[in-house]
Amino acid sequence: MTASTTTPPRSLDDPDVGERYLRLVGDGDEYGAVEIVTALLDNGADPARVMLDLIARTQSRVGELWAANEWSIAREHAATAISERALAAVSARSAVRPTRGRITVACVDGEWHALPVRILGEMLRLDGWRVDFLGANVPGPHLVTHLHQTGPDAVALSCMLATRLPRAHAAITACRSVGVPVIAGGPGFGPEGRWAHRLGADAWAPDAEGAIRRLAREWPPPIEDPYRTGFLGDDEYTYLMRHRGELVQTAMTRLTAAYPPTGSYSRRQHDSTLEDLGHVVDFLAAALYVADEQVFTDFVAWTAAVLEAREVPPVALQIGLTLMRDQLRDYPAAIAIIDAGVATLRR
Ligand code: B12
């Protein structure tokens, strides 16, 4: 062991602190990771900076390493669990008496990325908010029951995956209809929160610090008609949602003929392919819902990179898109979005 791996870090400016922390979470060394965090706080580091510059930044690196096929899913899961412990350690050592108001922090229905929003919750707590943290996957009706029981000043709603946008819309409308304004966030809401605004959110922020600034500026914002965005899904969206299983299964069956390497796929490869085809339908449906092809083209670009890291050539994805397109001949908006996806792939 070298001195740098045994000596506790003195500050976040130590050149190797990020690498050391990443190594520890990657090795499943929970105690080592918590020790680093504790040592930084002991040496006077700002808890907010520890959460954002160390824990959050490392999680993003973990995502990159998984996407590049350098880390397994299990290793990512273990690292995330350790980051949750490290975050709890920061939280335990930085109590702040609430002075601002009460805020409910939750992920939309079907959204399992609880850690980003947990960081947001802790940051709001440090800023003086009384935070009710509801965590991952909160169904709309339960969220509304909670609002009735607690009467918060705001709901902070997280959506990391654009596929959850229709559910986010239902949640936003439900919160606003009981008079609680919503601040939305997470990359699922698109560049500059484009889709948060389309779905009627009262505010959007790119990250925890942005949320703190936005909530300090003007809150509550004037509540407009809570139903102003109505139901955005059209016939094409509804068709896709109703026939999701059939669309995926048919594409999978035809894939063996269209792309022969799938014939010798292992069970695991077969299941991942099914999952990818499911994502094709889900991102397509979300793109139709908010009427913006970028939901789909971003997904295609990201999936192509993930598949390439696993030695699956882009042509396999292109064939998958074409097999989906063939089944949607009577749905012009869906076809146009798939074509934009294929064009992205060619570029
Ligand atoms: C850990 C992780 C998981 C864990 C989550 C566990 C947990 N307890 O959180 C699990 C294993 C469940 C998971 C599952 C999946 N994941 Co995942 N995951 C990640 C990973 C590696 C880290 C997430 C994280 O903690 N990031 C760190 C935080 C701090 O990031 P952050 O975005 O900067 O956070 C800030 C903002 O987002 C913002 N914010 C967030 N919410 C809100 C809300 C409000 C109101 C505001 C104002 C701000 C705000 O504030 C945060 C703090 O500043 C990311 C990689 C990444 N780059 O994030 C992938 C990632 C998000 N996952 C991804 C995917 C694809 C999936 C799966 C579909 C994988 C699969 N095949 O099943 C599933 C989907 C599950 C679901 N339905 O939700 C992709 C998404 C890509 C895309 N195109 O959308 C990513 C980007 C990985 C990648 N590089 O490809 N995942």
Side-chain angles (χ1 to χ4, degrees):
M1 254 188 214
T2 64
S4 72
T5 56
T6 52
T7 320
R10 300 203 62 80
S11 109
L12 281 165
D13 296 330
D14 282 10
D16 64 345
V17 65
E19 282 306 318
R20 275 176 69 181
Y21 182 80
L22 177 67
R23 219 176 304 129
L24 290 166
V25 299
D27 287 347
D29 187 345
E30 183 176 318
Y31 297 103
V34 171
E35 259 166 40
I36 287 207
V37 162
T38 314
L40 288 167
L41 295 171
D42 284 345
N43 285 316
D46 177 355
R49 302 271 46 101
V50 175
M51 287 194 278
L52 297 178
D53 298 347
L54 189 66
I55 301 175
R57 202 172 283 168
T58 302
Q59 279 298 113
S60 301
R61 292 277 315 276
V62 169
E64 285 160 16
L65 289 163
W66 169 80
N69 205 22
E70 287 181 38
W71 279 24
S72 69
I73 288 184
R75 201 171 178 196
E76 170 277 307
H77 281 22
T80 303
I82 293 174
S83 287
E84 274 167 1
R85 285 292 301 266
L87 198 58
V90 180
S91 167
R93 298 189 31 143
S94 46
V96 173
R97 189 168 286 279
T99 50
R100 280 195 182 277
R102 191 164 181 173
I103 186 164
T104 301
V105 174
C107 291
V108 303
D109 200 357
E111 174 61 75
W112 288 98
H113 295 92
L115 188 65
V117 83
R118 175 86 202 277
I119 292 175
L120 171 75
E122 292 303 333
M123 290 286 293
L124 290 171
R125 213 170 255 150
L126 285 179
D127 193 48
W129 287 85
R130 175 170 172 192
V131 175
D132 293 306
F133 178 68
L134 305 191
N137 187 31
V138 183
H142 296 290
L143 178 57
V144 170
T145 305
H146 175 82
L147 302 185
H148 282 305
Q149 286 166 350
T150 59
D153 302 287
V155 172
L157 200 61
S158 179
C159 175
M160 296 290 286
L161 295 178
T163 49
R164 311 319 304 162
L165 286 171
R167 292 300 173 95
H169 187 205
I172 290 169
T173 308
C175 294
R176 298 182 81 247
S177 68
V178 296
V180 184
V182 176
I183 177 164
F189 282 112
E192 298 303 306
R194 190 191 302 177
W195 305 313
H197 300 302
R198 185 157 310 163
L199 301 183
D202 300 276
W204 169 85
D207 52 27
E209 287 173 304
I212 287 170
R213 281 195 297 275
R214 178 62 193 84
L215 290 164
R217 189 150 40 87
E218 183 212 14
W219 204 268
I223 285 241
E224 296 161 34
D225 173 10
Y227 299 106
R228 79 187 136 103
T229 57
F231 173 69
L232 294 178
D234 59 2
D235 289 354
E236 298 205 20
Y237 167 78
T238 308
Y239 177 84
L240 235 66
M241 289 323 317
R242 289 225 175 105
H243 296 85
R244 182 188 188 277
E246 195 181 314
L247 289 164
V248 170
Q249 273 308 335
T250 304
M252 191 69 208
T253 309
R254 293 179 182 169
L255 192 58
T256 321
Y259 184 64
T262 47
S264 52
Y265 270 8
S266 65
R267 179 87 228 157
R268 193 179 54 76
Q269 287 172 310
H270 178 270
D271 290 350
S272 318
T273 309
L274 260 185
E275 198 182 316
D276 288 341
L277 290 169
H279 284 149
V280 170
V281 179
D282 293 340
F283 278 93
L284 181 57
L288 285 167
Y289 194 85
V290 296
D292 191 336
E293 67 185 28
Q294 194 178 340
V295 173
F296 195 70
T297 52
D298 282 356
F299 154 74
V300 168
W302 164 78
T303 306
V306 167
L307 290 177
E308 215 161 354
R310 286 149 183 82
E311 286 164 23
V312 179
V315 69
L317 178 57
Q318 188 176 329
I319 290 169
L321 296 184
T322 310
L323 292 174
M324 216 50 93
R325 188 185 192 282
D326 291 346
Q327 299 180 70
L328 292 167
R329 287 224 178 83
D330 297 331
Y331 297 90
I335 294 274
I337 292 171
I338 295 178
D339 288 347
V342 173
T344 300
L345 214 46
R346 293 217 176 99
R347 273 199 295 277

